[in-house]
Amino acid sequence: MSDLTATTTDIDSRLEGHRVELTGYCYRMLGSAFEAEDAVQDTLVRAWRNIEKFEGRSSLRSWLYRIATNVCLDMLNAGNKRARPVDLSGPTPLAQAALNPLPENTWLEPMPDGRILPSVADPAEAAVARESVRLAFVAALQHLPPKQRAVLILREVLAWKAAEVAELLDTSVASVNSALQRARATLTDHQGDAATADAADPLDEEQRKLLERYVAAFEGYDMKALTALLHEDAVMTMPPFDLWLQGHDDIAGFMTSIGASCAGSRLIATYANGTPAFAHYKPDPEGEGFIPWAVQVIDIKDGAITGMHCFLDTPRWFPLFGFADRLAADAA
């Protein structure tokens, strides 16, 4: 191997080693799984092309975050602001339920934990990372102006010092502290249910049993059993549809009416946005086996399920999560 090849391989390896944490940062900034991955790819390409200009005055990690921040700020200048159905309207009574889709770029998107949460040894640090990718928290971030968003994530989530953030953004420490104060105030106003989910990793025994009962109730389409697991104010969302339901009675009623084709479904466990999640396959109406229907992101609080967030655009989500495009009829 030539020295040039060895050097190239080393640069590739060093840059690639930051991909997961950069994706998590860009995801928090942008609220979109695919835009985040595009931003990171753009970041790494820019870094590769300009590696000779990297003078080592800061760490490689800081330099990459500077590039990633600029990429995200450029993308956010287009006015991107993603939301959940609960951010756009009040709940719809079951009697008025109608499935009205909105454009893809309207919605906050789910993200597999493995793509945005790097392995860390400190349990407290890991807990902060998981909390900061919850759907509700990322939705609250969308209310911040882009630079405030960057400041809050860098300071509160990634624990950068004010001086480090000031250097990255080419501004003063006083400006960073002022932006952080304003961001905290705005986040408090919009955070809402951002803290309404319990820790998910590792699941404790009570949470595991709750999810086992949820799978059994859902796959058996046992609405009595499912209702017993849902908080009385539980929420069900279904992007790309703007409809969302609140209350276990309306959720169960929807599942046995408009959603009746999901009877006999199969769920495969995974993690997304720092919480338990499932790949949802429903029976193939044209033959045997099961076809993709949704990625469900589940919120748990105080021993009950408080949120079922069902992302239905499976041609986009299942490849991202690495799920099969169908299940055999004998899938357990």
Side-chain angles (χ1 to χ4, degrees), residues 103-240:
E104 170 273 322
N105 62 4
T106 305
W107 303 117
L108 188 69
E109 298 178 343
M111 194 62 151
D113 279 11
R115 289 180 178 264
I116 51 175
L117 295 178
S119 299
V120 295
D122 184 351
E125 185 180 342
V128 169
R130 287 195 303 273
E131 291 293 333
S132 68
V133 294
R134 296 283 173 86
L135 289 171
F137 185 82
V138 179
L141 289 175
Q142 301 295 299
H143 293 279
L144 300 177
K147 285 194 175 180
Q148 286 186 26
R149 202 179 303 180
V151 168
L152 186 132
I153 296 168
L154 291 166
R155 291 282 285 119
E156 301 280 86
V157 177
L158 301 177
W160 283 40
K161 297 177 181 178
E164 295 172 328
V165 178
E167 182 179 0
L168 183 147
L169 294 175
D170 292 322
T171 189
S172 66
V173 170
S175 294
V176 167
N177 289 336
S178 176
L180 179 60
Q181 186 175 6
R182 294 195 303 273
R184 284 171 173 166
T186 302
L187 205 65
T188 298
D189 291 339
H190 292 282
Q191 201 165 354
D193 61 347
T196 61
D198 289 337
D201 183 22
L203 294 171
D204 61 30
E205 186 65 21
E206 180 183 2
Q207 292 169 329
R208 283 195 296 270
K209 288 181 177 178
L210 176 66
L211 290 171
E212 288 171 1
R213 293 195 296 270
Y214 173 77
V215 171
F218 196 100
E219 292 187 343
Y221 235 58
D222 183 340
M223 293 301 112
K224 182 177 180 180
L226 182 64
T227 296
L229 305 176
L230 299 178
H231 188 277
E232 63 180 1
D233 292 325
V235 165
M236 183 178 183
T237 67
M238 292 161 281

Side-chain angles (χ1 to χ4, degrees), residues 1-294:
M1 180 182 293
S2 68
D3 290 343
L4 178 60
T5 303
T7 301
T8 299
T9 302
D10 179 59
I11 293 171
D12 284 341
S13 177
R14 291 178 66 196
L15 293 177
E16 192 63 30
H18 294 278
R19 180 179 290 274
V20 173
E21 65 170 314
L22 288 172
T23 304
Y25 175 63
C26 292
Y27 174 71
R28 296 177 184 98
M29 286 288 290
L30 301 170
S32 164
F34 297 102
E35 287 182 0
E37 295 207 325
D38 287 347
V40 172
Q41 191 60 33
D42 190 4
T43 296
L44 297 180
V45 169
R46 292 189 191 189
W48 170 258
R49 289 175 177 171
N50 294 282
I51 194 69
E52 293 181 358
K53 299 178 183 178
F54 174 58
E55 300 173 352
R57 288 178 296 182
S58 62
S59 68
L60 177 63
R61 180 173 182 256
S62 297
W63 185 58
L64 290 172
Y65 269 93
R66 175 190 287 268
I67 299 172
T69 299
N70 289 331
V71 170
C72 289
L73 292 178
D74 287 344
M75 296 173 74
L76 289 168
N77 281 337
N80 311 43
K81 181 181 176 182
R82 292 178 177 263
R84 305 165 299 165
V86 299
D87 301 318
L88 301 182
S89 68
T92 304
L94 179 60
Q96 301 173 20
L99 299 179
N100 302 309
L102 294 180
E104 170 273 322
N105 62 4
T106 305
W107 303 117
L108 188 69
E109 298 178 343
M111 194 62 151
D113 279 11
R115 289 180 178 264
I116 51 175
L117 295 178
S119 299
V120 295
D122 184 351
E125 185 180 342
V128 169
R130 287 195 303 273
E131 291 293 333
S132 68
V133 294
R134 296 283 173 86
L135 289 171
F137 185 82
V138 179
L141 289 175
Q142 301 295 299
H143 293 279
L144 300 177
K147 285 194 175 180
Q148 286 186 26
R149 202 179 303 180
V151 168
L152 186 132
I153 296 168
L154 291 166
R155 291 282 285 119
E156 301 280 86
V157 177
L158 301 177
W160 283 40
K161 297 177 181 178
E164 295 172 328
V165 178
E167 182 179 0
L168 183 147
L169 294 175
D170 292 322
T171 189
S172 66
V173 170
S175 294
V176 167
N177 289 336
S178 176
L180 179 60
Q181 186 175 6
R182 294 195 303 273
R184 284 171 173 166
T186 302
L187 205 65
T188 298
D189 291 339
H190 292 282
Q191 201 165 354
D193 61 347
T196 61
D198 289 337
D201 183 22
L203 294 171
D204 61 30
E205 186 65 21
E206 180 183 2
Q207 292 169 329
R208 283 195 296 270
K209 288 181 177 178
L210 176 66
L211 290 171
E212 288 171 1
R213 293 195 296 270
Y214 173 77
V215 171
F218 196 100
E219 292 187 343
Y221 235 58
D222 183 340
M223 293 301 112
K224 182 177 180 180
L226 182 64
T227 296
L229 305 176
L230 299 178
H231 188 277
E232 63 180 1
D233 292 325
V235 165
M236 183 178 183
T237 67
M238 292 161 281
F241 301 115
D242 58 0
L243 166 75
W244 64 280
L245 302 162
Q246 186 169 40
H248 47 54
D249 290 339
D250 276 3
I251 292 173
F254 179 89
M255 291 177 64
T256 54
S257 54
I258 298 174
S261 63
C262 290
S265 292
R266 294 290 181 269
L267 300 181
I268 295 179
T270 186
Y271 286 93
N273 294 87
T275 63
F278 295 97
H280 173 188
Y281 294 83
K282 74 172 187 176
D284 187 343
E286 299 181 357
E288 296 184 346
F290 303 86
I291 58 173
W293 185 245

Side-chain angles (χ1 to χ4, degrees), residues 284-304:
D284 187 343
E286 299 181 357
E288 296 184 346
F290 303 86
I291 58 173
W293 185 245
V295 170
Q296 297 184 8
V297 181
I298 305 298
D299 291 332
I300 299 173
K301 183 69 175 178
D302 297 333

Side-chain angles (χ1 to χ4, degrees), residues 306-319:
T306 57
M308 300 164 59
H309 307 290
C310 306
F311 295 87
L312 303 181
D313 192 358
T314 53
R316 300 177 75 230
W317 304 127
F318 272 47

